[in-house]
Amino acid sequence: MTTFGQKLRRLMDERRISQRKLAALVPCNDGYLSRVARDLRTPTREIAERLDELLDADGDLTELVPEKRTSTADDILELAAWLEETNVGDGAVDYLETATRRLAHDYPRQPPLAVLQEAQTLQSRVAEILRSGRQRLAQTRDLLSISAELFALINLLAGDVGRYRLADAYGYGAWTCAQEADSDTARALVLCAQSKTARWEGRYADAAELAGRGFQLAPAGGRGRVLLAVSEAAALQARGDIAAANEAMRRAEDARDTCSAADERADAWSCTRARQATYALQVGLGARDPADMLRSVAQADDAWADGDQWVYGTWAQVRIGAALAHVMTGDPDGAAEELKEVFDLGADYRVVTIIGRMGEIERRLGHSRYKGDPCAAELREKIRAFRAGSLEHKALTAVEAP
């Protein structure tokens, strides 16, 4: 006996119509029609009648639809089968989560534009799975959490290369996914990314508020909690509220006491001791306290000596912070020594956070106290050349819009 799926496939071949086009005409989900064509799903009589009409089949398809079963047991089995339907395996979801964590790990180590492109490609795969069919509820939530983290990671990367409109767009997408996943962990990571973008856009009040909300949402010992506290501190010091910034830094220390071992592995959302020292550096800069800044530099160097993971961004910020402290105390030679290796940083790694701090040194070297100082003049020229290679001025190879 010819089955519904067999008859449907024969009619599609005869009419030379693709499954995707037919699904659009019904209209129905392409994945649903695929299951019907493979006899994995029984269509409703309404769908069968519509297919008869579109394929000019004179009711042949409708005749092949069995009468609706009325047995309660059959109804329960049909519901259970529907609930178990999925267009993705658990192994694939695990792979996507692992790939996302790897990109978060690559974030502080690999060229930002390369990681950005990989993250966008992976996010497109997740979006395609979410849109192309249905998953079990737990799988959908997992995929939405993965999508939220990917969007948030792209938000960070877009901000790092000065594409703030793009960062804001991805931040919106990240928040939407986190809300749909109903995950406080995902919400906290999104707020962490949004806070950083707001800070580099000069929206310091927003940055502090976003980081503070994220800190409250992040579970104790959860990912990003220490980073959220220090991010709030950085935004508060930029507003001139040093007392509140110091209080946020104290919260970061308390959060570190409950953080997991994963938070000590340098990635997009962790805050190692060396990275925490860079934020303390910023608070010291806001307080105009070069001695305190140099103490933070020593803390970072000690952390690396004790085995803290070294990453280029944190290292560069520490060296730049040390140089700023020397400039503030009238020692351009000391600043030049600190920056000697920073100037060797490849153009593919010159994110706006690094370029911005170098610009601060250049500005301070333009003070009248350094007028006629050959070392200060030479250092300013080197900084100008370094800043000209900023990723902010480099064309993206990844797409410009989500």
Side-chain angles (χ1 to χ4, degrees):
M1 178 181 173
T2 302
T3 66
F4 188 98
Q6 290 170 341
K7 182 67 174 178
L8 175 60
R9 293 197 301 274
R10 187 180 308 146
L11 287 167
M12 288 168 62
D13 288 341
E14 291 173 358
R15 307 300 190 263
R16 295 184 178 182
I17 185 169
S18 70
Q19 178 183 292
R20 179 169 295 182
K21 183 176 180 181
L22 184 59
L25 292 171
V26 172
C28 67
N29 184 277
D30 184 32
Y32 167 82
L33 189 60
S34 173
R35 292 191 290 276
V36 169
R38 289 177 290 145
D39 290 312
L40 298 176
R41 181 77 181 267
T42 301
T44 64
R45 293 189 70 82
E46 291 79 11
I47 291 291
E49 288 169 0
R50 176 61 174 158
L51 289 169
D52 269 329
E53 177 187 346
L54 291 169
L55 296 170
D56 194 22
D58 295 325
D60 290 349
L61 287 169
T62 303
E63 288 180 0
L64 294 173
V65 178
E67 292 296 324
K68 179 173 175 59
R69 295 170 296 188
T70 57
S71 163
T72 300
D74 284 342
D75 287 345
I76 292 171
L77 290 172
E78 186 174 304
L79 174 62
W82 180 82
L83 289 171
E84 289 175 353
E85 283 185 8
T86 178
N87 66 334
V88 64
D90 289 338
V93 175
D94 290 342
Y95 164 77
L96 292 168
E97 183 176 9
T98 299
T100 300
R101 294 291 178 90
R102 179 184 60 78
L103 286 173
H105 176 270
D106 288 346
Y107 170 81
R109 295 172 174 83
Q110 300 299 322
L113 291 180
V115 181
L116 173 61
Q117 191 165 22
E118 283 192 58
Q120 287 179 313
T121 299
L122 188 61
Q123 201 286 321
S124 294
R125 290 179 62 185
V126 175
E128 184 179 359
I129 292 169
L130 284 166
R131 289 171 175 166
S132 65
R134 66 178 302 276
Q135 307 85 37
R136 294 192 296 275
L137 183 58
Q139 290 178 323
T140 300
R141 285 179 173 164
D142 287 343
L143 288 168
L144 285 167
S145 292
I146 291 168
S147 190
E149 182 170 352
L150 282 168
F151 271 134
L153 185 60
I154 297 168
N155 180 343
L156 282 179
L157 289 156
D160 283 345
V161 297
R163 271 62 168 196
Y164 299 122
R165 277 178 51 189
L166 184 64
D168 288 337
Y170 275 108
Y172 172 77
W175 183 253
T176 301
C177 290
Q179 288 287 76
E180 289 300 312
D182 195 21
S183 166
D184 281 344
T185 296
R187 291 185 185 104
L189 297 185
V190 173
L191 289 168
C192 189
Q194 290 178 328
S195 174
K196 183 176 180 181
T197 301
R199 182 154 44 89
W200 281 100
E201 288 180 308
R203 297 185 288 113
Y204 302 124
D206 290 343
E209 189 269 336
L210 289 165
R213 281 171 55 202
F215 183 81
Q216 293 301 318
L217 284 170
R223 299 172 71 205
R225 198 157 190 259
V226 179
L227 184 58
L228 281 157
V230 296
S231 295
E232 183 181 6
L236 289 167
Q237 73 81 21
R239 294 189 68 195
D241 194 343
I242 303 304
N246 283 323
E247 177 57 34
M249 291 300 294
R250 282 191 287 273
R251 285 198 297 277
E253 280 296 332
D254 292 341
R256 179 170 294 285
D257 291 340
T258 60
C259 73
S260 65
D263 212 48
E264 297 298 334
R265 296 195 295 267
D267 69 9
W269 314 113
S270 67
C271 190
T272 62
R273 291 192 177 277
R275 191 176 188 184
Q276 189 170 339
T278 67
Y279 283 90
L281 255 171
Q282 293 180 45
V283 175
L285 176 62
R288 299 180 177 83
D289 188 344
D292 189 50
M293 293 169 67
L294 290 174
R295 281 193 291 272
S296 296
V297 169
Q299 289 171 0
D301 288 335
D302 288 344
W304 283 316
D306 289 340
D308 215 53
Q309 292 190 16
W310 185 96
V311 293
Y312 78 92
T314 301
W315 167 79
Q317 290 283 9
V318 169
R319 301 278 69 85
I320 293 169
L324 269 168
H326 286 301
V327 170
M328 291 166 71
T329 57
D331 181 14
D333 291 300
E337 184 63 28
E338 290 288 351
L339 296 178
K340 187 183 298 183
E341 293 183 16
V342 177
F343 287 129
D344 293 331
L345 192 65
D348 285 346
Y349 295 92
R350 296 182 192 178
V351 296
V352 295
T353 48
I354 292 173
I355 293 297
R357 292 296 175 205
M358 291 291 269
E360 174 72 4
I361 296 175
E362 183 186 351
R363 184 184 67 78
R364 289 176 179 270
L365 287 170
H367 191 275
S368 58
R369 74 189 292 184
Y370 291 114
K371 186 175 181 179
D373 188 315
C375 180
E378 181 182 358
L379 190 53
R380 290 186 75 190
E381 285 302 315
K382 286 183 177 180
I383 291 173
R384 287 194 192 101
F386 181 86
R387 295 182 70 203
S390 169
L391 286 173
E392 188 173 6
H393 308 301
K394 187 169 181 178
L396 294 184
T397 54
V399 294
E400 282 277 4

